[in-house]
Amino acid sequence: MSKHLAVRHAENIRELGGYETTDGRKVAHRKLIRSANINHLDAQDKQYLSEYGIKKVVDFRSLEERTAQPDQEIPEASNIFLPIFPLKETETASASPKKMMQRMQDGENALQQMVEVYKHFVTDQHIRGQYRKFFDLVLDNHKADESLLFHCTAGKDRTGFAAILLLHCLGVDSETIVEDYLATNRYLKKVVQEMYKKAELAGISAEALHGIEDMMSAKEVYLETSFEQIKEHYGTVGQFVHEGIGISTHEIKDLQKIYLL
């Protein structure tokens, strides 16, 4: 199980460290941190994360999300804006909760929107290129006692897919990778319950409430959508990493040298 960090004002913030690989090694702690928004961090949170070793923050959100809820700066950490989806999202899916809510109000089904997001993770050339840039940053995170934090709004989809790719490259088994993805439901439970209460008080319809659940949950059907696309276009996750993202065998070995004990 991943380690949840003692941060009071950020949700779903946790380590990839501690997971065992299929060859008996372990992912190092204090190296790779996944998270939801970090726009509400207070001074204590920022000091904690600084002392934890965070030197790079990678923000996967859209420009609109980043502008509306700017990251709190962590002392001595650089902040890299790396929007996973194209800046103009009109022609593609969007994982922005605000955009998804707007589309729900226009009659688009939330579950189908999420399925489209997970298709695009595999089929969209721009998105694959952004994940390639993310791997460049991860490969550059080779100094001892320095951590990289990557996040989106809920830390669920854009961040979750990045974690899936990382853990696969590090040799963690598929069952554990899925467990890490689904752990978001435990860490976002309070947030989702609060969204439900606000929606019910506002008189939102039952259909819309189901839409919130579809939008804010990590579901195996979403992962299965990506895996089906990978199988169709690349054959295996390994081939997708090599051909779709552009990670070489040598780079995977470098990743394992940096992040495995």
Side-chain angles (χ1 to χ4, degrees):
M1 182 183 294
S2 60
K3 175 187 174 183
H4 193 247
L5 271 62
V7 176
R8 299 184 302 165
H9 300 96
E11 305 295 337
N12 201 16
I13 181 166
R14 48 199 171 97
E15 275 266 10
L16 292 188
Y19 286 128
E20 287 193 14
T21 65
T22 54
D23 63 3
R25 291 182 285 177
K26 279 191 175 181
V27 180
H29 283 290
R30 293 179 177 249
K31 289 299 291 178
L32 293 168
I33 315 299
R34 54 175 295 177
S35 181
N37 269 348
I38 58 168
N39 59 304
H40 291 304
L41 299 178
D42 64 9
Q44 183 178 324
D45 291 332
K46 290 189 277 189
Q47 186 62 29
Y48 172 88
L49 290 171
S50 180
E51 291 174 359
Y52 207 81
I54 303 294
K55 296 299 181 189
K56 287 189 180 74
V57 174
V58 183
D59 184 356
F60 288 150
R61 299 175 300 164
S62 68
L63 181 60
E64 182 181 12
E65 291 169 287
R66 182 176 170 89
T67 303
Q69 298 181 313
D71 287 349
Q72 287 291 318
E73 291 188 15
I74 297 169
E76 299 181 27
S78 59
N79 190 291
I80 299 107
F81 178 43
L82 187 64
I84 290 298
F85 283 86
L87 292 179
K88 292 184 178 180
E89 295 180 335
T90 52
E91 300 301 320
T92 187
S94 172
S96 160
K98 183 179 177 181
K99 283 276 180 69
M100 291 191 68
M101 287 294 288
Q102 289 171 350
R103 289 177 174 180
M104 282 169 58
Q105 290 169 356
D106 291 337
E108 289 189 41
N109 179 277
L111 181 67
Q112 188 55 43
Q113 284 191 65
M114 292 304 308
V115 167
E116 287 300 313
V117 165
Y118 280 76
K119 283 182 181 176
H120 278 76
F121 284 152
V122 178
T123 61
D124 189 289
Q125 185 177 358
H126 172 87
I127 292 172
R128 296 197 308 271
Q130 294 300 83
Y131 280 121
R132 169 68 242 197
K133 291 175 186 175
F134 172 62
F135 268 92
D136 288 337
L137 294 168
V138 172
L139 283 159
D140 191 46
N141 184 43
H142 53 77
K143 292 181 182 177
D145 304 319
E146 292 193 1
S147 302
L148 180 149
L149 182 150
F150 57 103
H151 81 96
C152 52
T153 294
K156 176 175 72 78
D157 306 308
R158 291 162 286 190
T159 298
F161 196 72
I164 287 164
L165 297 177
L166 280 174
L167 292 173
H168 175 84
C169 288
L170 295 175
V172 175
D173 68 88
S174 57
E175 184 177 336
T176 301
I177 290 172
V178 172
E179 285 176 5
D180 178 78
Y181 170 76
L182 295 175
T184 280
N185 294 328
R186 183 165 68 253
Y187 295 121
L188 287 184
K189 188 174 182 180
K190 181 182 174 183
V191 174
V192 176
Q193 287 175 340
E194 288 174 355
M195 287 182 70
Y196 261 70
K197 286 178 184 176
K198 288 180 181 177
E200 285 178 328
L201 288 172
I204 299 296
S205 67
E207 184 180 356
L209 288 174
H210 283 305
I212 290 172
E213 194 268 336
D214 289 333
M215 181 177 69
M216 294 301 296
S217 297
K219 295 190 173 188
E220 285 196 61
V221 66
Y222 302 153
L223 277 192
E224 288 166 4
T225 298
S226 291
F227 292 150
E228 286 168 5
Q229 291 296 315
I230 287 170
K231 185 177 180 180
E232 179 181 343
H233 295 283
Y234 298 93
T236 66
V237 176
Q239 287 299 108
F240 172 67
V241 167
H242 287 305
E243 297 172 19
I245 307 297
I247 310 300
S248 70
T249 301
H250 181 74
E251 286 172 323
I252 288 177
K253 288 179 180 177
D254 286 343
L255 286 168
Q256 293 178 353
K257 285 178 186 175
I258 296 168
Y259 294 104
L260 296 183
L261 300 173

